[in-house]
Amino acid sequence: MSIDAKVNVFHGPREPRQRLMALSTLINTVGMGLFLSAGTIFLIRSAGLSPATAGLGLTVGSLIGFGAGVVAGDLADRRGARNVVVASMLVEAVASVGLLLVHDLWTLIVVAAVAAVGRAGSGSARGAMIGVLAEPGKGAALRTYLRAVTNVGLAVGMLGSAVVLAVDSRPAYVLLVLTDAATFLLAAAVLARLPHLAATRTAAPRTAGAVRGGPADGAASGGPAPDQRRWVALRDRRYLAFTAASSIASLQGWVLVQALPVWIVLRTAAPRSMAAVVLFVAAVTVAVTQIPATRSIDGPRSAARLLARSGPLFLVAWVLMALASGPSVWVTVVLLLVAVLVHSLAEVWQEAGTFELSFAFARPEAQGQYQGVIGLGHGFVEAVAPAVVITLCINTGKIGWVVLAVIVMVAGFLCALIERRWSGDRRAITDHEVPAGR
């Protein structure tokens, strides 16, 4: 990477539309960091729900709404991504305010379902927007920068949530929820300044050439029937396999935000404040290392390589977290901090690799739909992750940390294997077509 390229990465994109998207991402993720760290505690400490009720309501609500991403992504491809993202963020803002009305399981399920619809819609449509805004040959650089911006926003939000948790009062929690809602509105307002983004595909392509030729295509000659063409991502078996494997690998994120804080409070001698400290340290570490640690990504092969390498690092980190149960306070604190640093590097590698492959495997004209499909898989894992990581890491104990690490590691290796076969198929097609064009 040249010196000029490095400067451009660290100072952000120069293209005005990309800068607006980066600003919107920063604002949105500050709110995400606020709620990610303190949202569940708000439901318990302020809304008066039991931990079991809060977990059940969030899970059921997420399962009800998580499938909306595929529909929203397809709509973004056919109608333009900007309006879909803005509308989805407004839905998320409504859901955030709705949390103030939650005092029982059923209202929580309704609010969580609305939030899941908005979250899935904005995530998949945002993927389509990235595909449209990225300059030719510079998509990886834009995605890397947006990931760095995301982690800066999360770090700021988590720092704010630590203050709210320290105050631990109803007014403080209400302010947190309203601030979260405000970030959705501000982020949507920033994106509304973008010009309309044209559709990337039609509702029903009429020629075989209009629906073939994407990087993940394996259709035989002759286009499929119009009623089949629309949902191309749902018929892409390789992408579905990648979605399944990467979704399982994404359990790692819930270990840090769900299992580790509970483990620290219930199973270690560390002070309770360490539960917030480790999340802040992780967010800062990810933000600082995001660009230098993923600079080697210049295509699918390098992305898959980093994704595969993340698995062994997670194993090391989670063994250290498990060993933190038992020693003295200072030994525990050191183990936790080292574990979080290792985990953060692994997280950067895994998420960067997954993000890059999710675009590389998708057909360019249907990025929104493909991002909706991978969001569907990750959304399902998001819904069941609390039960999985708490059961393995907290209820099972130290051996559960190792079991979960092996599962995540194997899933990462499978993602890399899928990339290898995808690249091999592309080379074979290219080698076959070259003589025909001479």
Side-chain angles (χ1 to χ4, degrees):
M1 181 181 286
S2 68
I3 294 177
D4 289 340
K6 291 178 182 178
V7 170
N8 288 340
V9 168
F10 279 99
H11 287 275
R14 295 179 178 177
E15 206 274 334
R17 298 181 304 168
Q18 294 178 5
R19 295 182 75 87
L20 284 174
M21 184 171 190
L23 177 59
S24 175
T25 299
L26 178 63
I27 295 170
N28 185 35
T29 51
V30 168
M32 186 186 301
L34 278 170
F35 193 78
L36 187 64
S37 299
T40 303
I41 298 175
F42 156 77
L43 293 172
I44 296 170
R45 300 284 294 174
S46 184
L49 304 180
S50 69
T53 300
L56 178 62
L58 291 173
T59 298
V60 174
S62 296
L63 287 174
I64 292 173
F66 82 100
V70 178
V71 177
D74 180 66
L75 189 64
D77 291 331
R78 294 185 295 108
R79 302 292 186 183
R82 185 202 65 177
N83 291 344
V84 177
V85 175
V86 170
S88 298
M89 286 183 171
L90 295 179
V91 172
E92 291 183 279
V94 170
S96 292
V97 175
L99 285 168
L100 298 178
L101 305 177
V102 171
H103 294 288
D104 58 51
L105 174 63
W106 300 110
T107 52
L108 175 58
I109 289 175
V110 172
V111 171
V114 174
V117 170
R119 184 168 58 251
S122 63
S124 57
R126 181 175 176 271
M129 184 181 293
I130 293 173
V132 172
L133 295 182
E135 301 170 79
K138 298 182 180 180
L142 175 60
R143 291 190 286 271
T144 296
Y145 181 74
L146 290 176
R147 287 195 305 272
V149 168
T150 293
N151 286 292
V152 169
L154 289 174
V156 173
M158 288 176 178
L159 188 60
S161 71
V163 176
V164 172
L165 292 174
V167 175
D168 193 32
S169 67
R170 174 71 180 179
Y173 287 118
V174 170
L175 179 61
L176 178 143
V177 171
L178 292 178
T179 302
D180 184 32
T183 60
F184 287 123
L185 296 176
L186 287 174
V190 170
L191 286 183
R193 296 172 57 192
L194 284 171
H196 175 71
L197 300 179
T200 56
R201 64 191 296 261
T202 59
R206 298 187 179 280
T207 63
V211 297
R212 295 206 310 273
D217 182 66
S221 61
D227 61 339
Q228 295 178 321
R229 290 171 180 164
R230 179 173 176 181
W231 304 108
V232 290
L234 292 174
R235 296 184 294 110
D236 189 331
R237 288 179 292 180
R238 178 176 283 118
Y239 201 87
L240 293 177
F242 171 69
T243 294
S246 65
S247 297
I248 294 172
S250 73
L251 281 168
Q252 58 83 12
W254 300 97
V255 169
L256 197 64
V257 300
Q258 293 279 353
L260 184 58
V262 177
W263 182 257
I264 290 172
V265 172
L266 299 183
R267 299 286 191 270
T268 77
R272 289 175 180 265
S273 59
M274 277 299 295
V277 169
V278 293
L279 291 179
F280 178 72
V281 169
V284 171
T285 303
V286 169
V288 170
T289 61
Q290 182 74 67
I291 292 175
T294 61
R295 190 175 296 150
S296 63
I297 293 181
D298 55 7
R301 176 53 51 88
S302 54
R305 188 180 303 119
L306 286 188
L307 203 163
R309 289 175 180 173
S310 69
L313 284 187
F314 283 127
L315 178 60
V316 172
W318 297 353
V319 167
L320 293 175
M321 292 176 187
L323 293 176
S325 175
S328 63
V329 173
W330 289 110
V331 173
T332 296
V333 169
V334 170
L335 285 173
L336 289 172
L337 290 176
V338 173
V340 167
L341 292 175
V342 176
H343 176 104
S344 298
L345 177 59
E347 178 182 329
V348 167
W349 283 356
Q350 189 209 76
E351 292 189 351
T354 300
F355 198 50
E356 187 66 24
L357 293 179
S358 72
F359 283 87
F361 292 164
R363 297 165 74 162
E365 77 280 6
Q367 283 286 0
Q369 191 181 127
Y370 275 85
Q371 294 304 309
V373 167
I374 196 168
L376 190 70
H378 285 236
F380 177 79
V381 168
E382 178 181 336
V384 302
V388 173
V389 300
I390 293 298
T391 298
L392 284 175
C393 298
I394 307 303
N395 297 342
T396 305
K398 294 179 180 179
I399 188 63
W401 289 87
V402 177
V403 171
L404 186 57
V406 171
I407 292 173
V408 168
M409 183 168 59
V410 170
F413 290 155
L414 288 176
C415 290
L417 178 61
I418 291 169
E419 187 281 330
R420 184 173 295 276
R421 293 189 175 182
W422 174 80
S423 295
D425 290 346
R426 280 177 61 94
R427 285 194 298 270
I429 292 173
T430 301
D431 293 343
H432 176 74
E433 290 178 347
V434 166
R438 290 177 178 172

